[in-house]
Amino acid sequence: MARSGRRGPSCHTSATVTGARSLTLRNACSTIPPVLRFLTAGESHGPGLTVVVDGVPAGVPVLREEIDADLRRRQGGYGRGGRMKIETDTVEILSGVRHGRTLGSPVSLLVRNKDHANWSDVMSPDPQPDAARERRRLRYPRPGHADLAGALKYGTDDLRNVLERASARETTARVAAGALARALLRAAGVEVRSHVLRIGAAAVPAGCVDWEALDRVEDSPVRCADATAAGAMIAEIDRAKKDGDSVGGVVEVIARGVPPGLGSYVQWDRRLDGRIAQALMSIHAVKAVAIGEGFAGGETRGSAFHDEILWAESGGLERPTNRAGGLEGGVTNGEEIRAAAVVKPIPTLLIALRSVDLATKEPQKASVERSDTCVVPAAGVVAEAMLCLVLADALLEKTGGDSLEEVLAHLEATRAQQRRLAGPR
Ligand code: EPS
């Protein structure tokens, strides 16, 4: 049932599911390509952002409105700048979906940049006269942005060549891809949500924000479950904006209903905590990631940190706490997956930091581009997309299956085996 042929020649072939007691054997590769993979393309002010998602099984229900709903959430959040007033991101499905269901073929998605109409000469693929080449040229690298590192990497003194792709606008394509992964996960009983824990000095009170409280998040301008903290976060953003500054924060992303046994401890690159951390760290502006109570682990004794294992006649095995964030040994343990990401303040500042003109080497204030004051609420939506993509990949790696039906059949067999081990007698 696992998709043989997708792995390298050194992989062991998988056994077929023959009934509830029989389970697919995991392939034993040390470096495995993802089953669900995606590549994005597109510049911030080019014609649009595209993504090709390969490996989605056939039969997954996909609706354009659902992808658009996630795109809308990504555009929102208090503290966004002028660009979000120009764009109304909507998806065009170019392949891989027919009559509301995936076909098993690559799904390609396009989100057009409305703003491109104002940039058609600046972003033209065709040679342009000097005036168009000079218009919107960026000379003074912004500390914290990819400007300088990208200029050194590609040997260009027009930082526009760097920032157009380095821009967080690319996350539009990730969110569209993530909506496909979310649709697959939903069919498997997995839900993914996010919320904001902190913006600048304003934070939700210490302690776990439970799943039900997340119902309030989409009504909050800063996507925060705690109304008092949300007010303080808005004030933080207002203060930063007034000062011409920017402000960062912390988001938490949570997945519920994740079956135990996704990921693996047998090789470093198969540990799911590592894969989730990489996916979250790859989001623009993210500078730190914690799984569960990760950072507290450095200052807590083992007896106060680890989640005890209890037995209840009614429900079977129970974990009274979830400081591990649903992952032990790089494998899901059936608890909610919880991961937090620290989002640094956006590097474009009206009160520009010191920089250098790369052409003259003279000191200059860093270039100022139109930007946002705070993108923390939007980063939560992107984090959801990335977690969905990683979990959907890990699920397919576990179950195999060319169709949703096959995925769900294997999942049920796995769950039946787990009930025998961990469920009530
Ligand atoms: C973004 C679009 C960008 C920025 C922001 C995110 O639009 P523009 O550059 O035209 O104003 O608002 O990009 C960055 C924060 C960045 O560092 O590049 C978006 O669609 O999310």
Side-chain angles (χ1 to χ4, degrees), residues 44-45 49 74-75 80-84 86-87 89 113 115 119 136 142 145-146 160 163-164 166-172 284-285 346-348 369-372 375 378 382:
S44 182
H45 304 97
L49 284 310
R74 192 206 73 92
Q75 280 200 269
R80 291 290 242 157
R83 179 72 182 272
M84 291 307 112
I86 299 173
E87 305 294 343
D89 293 336
N113 290 324
D115 203 18
W119 293 73
R136 313 307 302 239
R142 293 162 294 172
H145 213 285
R160 168 86 31 216
L163 87 93
E164 280 294 332
S167 166
R169 177 104 190 114
E170 185 262 353
T171 60
T172 308
H284 308 65
I346 287 289
T348 306
E369 280 273 293
R370 172 185 63 196
S371 192
D372 314 278
V375 293
V382 182

Side-chain angles (χ1 to χ4, degrees), residues 121-124 127-137 158:
D121 58 343
V122 175
M123 294 306 294
S124 173
Q128 294 291 308
D130 284 353
R133 285 200 285 119
E134 286 308 310
R135 200 160 79 80
R136 313 307 302 239
R137 177 188 277 269
D158 183 356

Side-chain angles (χ1 to χ4, degrees), residues 46-50 83 87-92 94 110-116 169 172:
L49 284 310
T50 59
R83 179 72 182 272
E87 305 294 343
T88 19
D89 293 336
T90 49
V91 75
E92 291 170 48
L94 304 183
L110 169 65
V111 179
R112 291 183 198 273
N113 290 324
K114 277 194 186 165
D115 203 18
H116 178 63
R169 177 104 190 114
T172 308

